[in-house]
Amino acid sequence: MSASGGTKAIVAALAANLAIAVAKFVAFLFSGSSSMLAESVHSLADSGNQGLLLLGGKKAQREATPQHPFGYGRERYIYAFLVSIVLFSVGGMFAIYEGYEKIKHPHPIDAWWWPVGVLVFAIIAESFSFRTAIVESNQTRGKLTWTQFVRRAKAPELPVVLLEDFGALVGLILALGGVGLALGTGDGVWDGIGTLCIGVLLIVIAIVLAAETKSLLLGESAGVEDVEKIHASVVDGDTVTRVIHMRTLHLGPEELLVAAKIAVRAEESAAEVAEAINAAETRIREAVPIARVIYLEPDIYDEAAAQAGVNPAKAPGGAESADSSGSGDASGSGDSASDQSGGAPSGSGH
């Protein structure tokens, strides 16, 4: 896992959650608080989630194989999706069940100093973990708001840890409130209500994580800034005159596929076109280092035909239309000029 995967944040969260889970469970044994039981299961689930993220990062480093020619970068998305399932089922549903049972069969909290003391300790520990996640995220967040960062981040680990730590802090406050009200009123129902609120919170966070990770699993394009850099890098104004249409796809958080149909001058020889494509690939990788797989397909752009709508695929923005020229599609799976001429093959990953 690269540095942008937030390994430091994951390890910090794992250490904090393991310590907190043990402390919460001990507090539950002495006090009988359902909020403490729900929170101990929550912390245990979070610990398992951090383990899944680390495992996904490890598996994603495997080399490409003939069966998986683009590598295993998306393993990180799969394991992040599993995190949302664990958070929903183990954390959220268990807390709702435990809260319902406590509301239905309330009982007073014994040895109140145990849950209160552990909750205060847990809030402090989670705050340090949350701070680490914020510091790590700020290194890649740039000018994005936190909502934009969670929605646009291609590496899933940091958004997952951020949402987990945020949910943990809010859950601890809810647990402390439930325990406090139960102690103040002598009515154990409040402890159950606090537990129920924790369950709802975890389910909401799990749904957000699942939705964002699903988008990554389906395949997301490069960010707007990277697309603009790639577009500017392709055109040299000499042999390559424009980008007819282009597609980008994240094969993993740090691996980008670029497929484009580019316009070249009709009078250029095959060798000159191959050289121009190789040069364009070099410029793309310099501008966007994660663009490791590149397919560039040359074509002759016909301005008059494009304006007349005879061949929309050759017009800028005509990527949605079928290409009637018979020269291949935008995927680059056809014949790249550099492949045919003996140059460096597009998409070689070098």
Side-chain angles (χ1 to χ4, degrees), residues 3 7 27 43 70-71 94 103 114 132-133 140 160 188 193 206 222 242-243 270-272 308 310-311 332 350:
T7 305
S43 295
F70 292 120
F94 177 82
I103 292 173
W114 273 101
T132 301
T140 57
V160 168
I193 293 174
R242 70 174 66 215
V243 175
E272 290 171 328
V310 175
N311 191 351
H350 299 301

Side-chain angles (χ1 to χ4, degrees), residues 26-34 36 107-112 114-115:
V26 171
F28 159 71
L29 292 177
F30 280 95
S31 67
S33 168
S34 66
M36 294 310 303
H107 59 79
I109 295 176
D110 300 321
W112 63 268
W114 273 101

Side-chain angles (χ1 to χ4, degrees), residues 292-347:
R292 299 179 185 176
V293 183
I294 304 174
Y295 296 97
L296 300 180
E297 180 183 359
D299 203 348
I300 307 301
Y301 181 77
D302 190 330
E303 184 75 36
Q307 291 180 354
V310 175
N311 191 351
K314 289 189 175 184
E320 302 302 325
S321 304
D323 186 359
S324 60
S325 67
S327 58
D329 58 25
S331 67
S333 58
D335 300 317
S336 167
S338 61
D339 291 339
Q340 292 178 343
S341 62
S346 299

Side-chain angles (χ1 to χ4, degrees), residues 41 85-100 195-196 198-200 202-203 206:
V41 173
I85 295 175
V86 171
L87 195 64
F88 178 89
S89 57
V90 178
M93 296 305 293
F94 177 82
I96 286 181
Y97 168 78
E98 184 64 24
Y100 171 77
T195 307
L196 203 63
I198 293 169
V200 172
L202 295 181
I203 288 175

